Amino acid sequence: MTSSLSAIPHAIIMSAEFITGITGNGFLIIISCNELIKSRKLTPMQLILICIGMSRVGLLLMLMVQSFFSMFFPLFYQTKIYGAAMVFLWMFFSSVSLWFATCLSVFYCLKLIGFTHPCFLWLKFRISKLMPGLLLGSLLASVSTATLCIEVDYPKNAVEDVLRNATRTTSKFNIRSINEVLLVNFSLLFPLAIFLMCTFMLLMSLYKHTHRMQNGSRGFRSVSTEVHINALRTVLTFILFFISYFAAFITNMTFIIPHGTQRYFVLKDIMAAYPSGHSVIIIWSNSKFQQLLRRLFCLKKSQCKEGLM
């Protein structure tokens, strides 16, 4: 087991990621709810951002609780916290946050891409009405994944052995049970496949759009192209965050890296970067959110100046 002193750097990193994630996702939730109150109408984008923000706040809380108690109170974590409920919540928030972000990518693609295939046009004009159903389906799929993970989970006594002895290897486990858990978790590759498809479609659309607008006005071309690039940037960064999160997540589930070691906490740091970093990218890729942030900063500066006078 790592000592409390050596775990401090990881605690600092995790705390920074937690604060960033809670602030960013909280900003998405508050702004979307504020717009809902003002307009009295819930748009698909507002609904998606609220769902993403809430799911990632839950995921960050799970990661923070797991990392903090594993670092400083491993015995308490083993006897009082870890269990079926913890595994279910962790798997649920991991899955639902990925599915909600996938819904955001699909929404971007259908709104921005100008393909003329009949099926694509049918989805494009109906995505606003279909989005609540897609989000509900994502929620049910996540509940099913978390439930299956508990059903095929490794034996409780094997987990307790890992928590007690950091040098124990996977040969001590029921390999069949661990493989079943990994098989369930590989279902999370499905949203990644959808994301890759959306990224490819956005790249194709941006390429065609650039050629189509060569003879158009420069200003219009720049604005429209910027919209495509912002959406593509959001999708690409999510893929990078997702791949790193998924790789760390699967490595953690195989128990190749002993519990409580430095490498174990590095995995937790990598996993916490996903729900924090991608939400920040969403905010900085949205001009409306950028304007709101500038207003907030300007308001704080003016209040500070008034206080000094």
Side-chain angles (χ1 to χ4, degrees):
M1 288 288 182
T2 184
S3 64
S4 297
L5 185 60
S6 61
I8 289 178
H10 300 293
I12 295 173
I13 294 173
M14 181 65 69
S15 298
E17 291 173 331
F18 179 77
I19 294 171
T20 302
I22 293 296
T23 303
N25 289 289
F27 179 82
L28 292 177
I29 297 172
I30 292 172
I31 296 301
S32 299
C33 290
N34 185 51
E35 292 179 354
L36 171 62
I37 294 173
K38 288 182 178 180
S39 63
R40 297 183 180 180
K41 183 179 179 181
L42 185 63
T43 64
M45 180 59 73
Q46 291 171 357
L47 180 60
I48 295 172
L49 292 179
I50 291 173
C51 291
I52 287 177
M54 294 178 66
S55 65
R56 288 178 175 173
V57 168
L59 179 58
L60 283 166
L61 288 173
M62 290 297 102
L63 287 170
M64 191 66 184
V65 169
Q66 186 182 46
S67 298
F68 177 79
F69 284 99
S70 295
M71 287 179 190
F72 302 108
F73 307 101
L75 184 60
F76 180 81
Y77 174 77
Q78 169 196 336
T79 58
K80 302 295 183 181
I81 297 179
Y82 189 88
M86 184 69 179
V87 172
F88 177 87
L89 290 174
W90 183 29
M91 286 303 306
F92 170 75
F93 284 118
S94 296
S95 178
V96 77
S97 63
L98 296 175
W99 275 111
F100 285 161
T102 301
C103 291
L104 176 64
S105 177
V106 171
F107 185 80
Y108 275 148
C109 287
L110 292 176
K111 287 297 183 182
L112 295 177
I113 295 176
F115 293 163
T116 58
H117 191 278
C119 294
F120 186 87
L121 291 176
W122 185 89
L123 287 172
K124 184 181 182 70
F125 294 124
R126 290 170 175 80
I127 186 61
S128 296
K129 295 181 179 179
L130 294 175
M131 188 52 63
L134 292 175
L135 293 173
L136 179 60
S138 300
L139 187 66
L140 295 176
S142 301
V143 172
S144 301
T145 301
T147 303
L148 286 174
C149 188
I150 293 177
E151 291 296 326
V152 302
D153 198 5
Y154 36 83
K156 176 68 175 174
N157 57 353
V159 178
E160 291 175 352
D161 288 341
V162 173
L163 293 170
R164 291 194 185 100
N165 187 359
T167 62
R168 195 173 293 260
T169 63
T170 53
S171 62
K172 300 295 183 180
F173 295 102
N174 187 326
I175 301 300
R176 180 180 177 182
S177 297
I178 294 177
N179 290 336
E180 289 174 347
V181 173
L182 293 177
L183 183 62
V184 171
N185 289 309
F186 272 117
S187 64
L188 299 180
L189 286 174
F190 187 61
L192 176 61
I194 297 176
F195 242 95
L196 291 174
M197 182 177 64
C198 290
T199 304
F200 176 76
M201 294 173 68
L202 279 171
L203 284 170
M204 291 295 296
S205 177
L206 182 61
Y207 174 79
K208 291 181 179 180
H209 171 79
T210 302
H211 283 272
R212 190 186 306 119
M213 300 304 296
Q214 282 181 348
N215 296 326
S217 62
R218 183 175 180 181
F220 179 77
R221 180 171 65 249
S222 299
V223 173
S224 184
T225 302
E226 184 181 354
V227 174
H228 279 73
I229 292 175
N230 284 339
L232 186 61
R233 185 188 299 120
T234 302
V235 174
L236 286 174
T237 52
F238 174 80
I239 290 177
L240 294 175
F241 279 118
F242 175 81
I243 291 176
S244 61
Y245 174 84
F246 188 79
F249 180 82
I250 293 299
T251 303
N252 182 56
M253 294 300 292
T254 59
F255 296 99
I256 295 174
I257 297 178
H259 179 90
T261 61
Q262 293 286 350
R263 290 179 296 166
Y264 172 83
F265 292 119
V266 169
L267 285 181
K268 297 300 179 182
D269 296 338
I270 295 173
M271 293 169 67
Y274 151 69
S276 303
H278 184 244
S279 297
V280 172
I281 296 297
I282 291 176
I283 294 172
W284 286 111
S285 298
N286 190 302
S287 58
K288 187 176 183 179
F289 290 153
Q290 290 180 19
Q291 293 175 0
L292 289 172
L293 286 175
R294 291 191 188 101
R295 291 177 186 175
L296 289 174
F297 287 137
C298 291
L299 180 62
K300 288 182 178 180
K301 287 181 179 179
S302 62
Q303 289 177 349
C304 291
K305 289 181 179 179
E306 290 177 359
L308 293 174
M309 291 181 178

